[in-house]
């Protein structure tokens, strides 16, 4: 069953975040993931949720999503992202 990682990101340092963006795709692809959304336009519908930047990844399974997030390849990129942005991430299993 597919799983998704959703991130609500506010970029605080564009140069640092750009460095993160250049490196992250290779780690996602290594764990069979792909971007479904990457900072495109959003339209708040209910509840007042208006993310600055929304990111959605798809992985074949929850296990693959968690392997990617906890991987040695992604660990330094988490630190880099946290220097250049604030955000919240979660993983969710698909239906």
């Amino acid at each position: 069953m597919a799983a998704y990682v959703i991130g609500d990101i506010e970029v605080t340092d564009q140069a640092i975040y750009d460095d993160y963006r250049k490196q992250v795709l290779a780690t996602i692809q290594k764990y069979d993931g792909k971007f479904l959304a990457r900072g495109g336009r959003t339209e708040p519908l209910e509840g007042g949720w208006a993310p600055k930047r929304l990111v959605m990844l798809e992985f074949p399974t929850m296990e693959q999503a968690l392997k990617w997030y906890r991987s040695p390849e992604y660990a330094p990129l988490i630190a880099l992202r946290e220097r250049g942005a604030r955000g919240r991430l979660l993983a969710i299993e698909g239906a």
Side-chain angles (χ1 to χ4, degrees):
M1 174 180 317
Y4 306 92
V5 174
I6 301 169
D8 178 353
I9 308 295
E10 179 182 357
V11 176
T12 56
D13 186 313
Q14 191 64 55
I16 292 173
Y17 196 77
D18 286 346
D19 190 23
Y20 166 82
R21 286 182 62 210
K22 290 175 190 171
Q23 299 178 62
V24 73
L25 181 59
T27 69
I28 293 166
Q29 290 175 332
K30 181 174 181 177
Y31 290 87
D32 300 320
K34 64 181 178 181
F35 279 102
L36 296 181
R38 192 174 190 184
R41 180 180 147 215
T42 61
E43 181 69 30
L45 300 175
E46 293 184 20
W49 183 33
K52 303 279 185 190
R53 176 181 179 79
L54 192 66
V55 176
M56 181 186 268
L57 309 172
E58 180 181 50
F59 291 87
T61 63
M62 179 65 91
E63 290 73 23
Q64 280 299 99
L66 296 176
K67 281 181 186 177
W68 163 74
Y69 183 78
R70 296 173 179 154
S71 72
E73 298 87 6
Y74 188 55
L77 295 182
I78 292 173
L80 182 62
R81 179 178 40 81
E82 289 175 343
R83 286 190 7 245
R86 285 189 292 272
R88 298 177 289 183
L89 274 76
L90 64 83
I92 182 172
E93 274 187 327

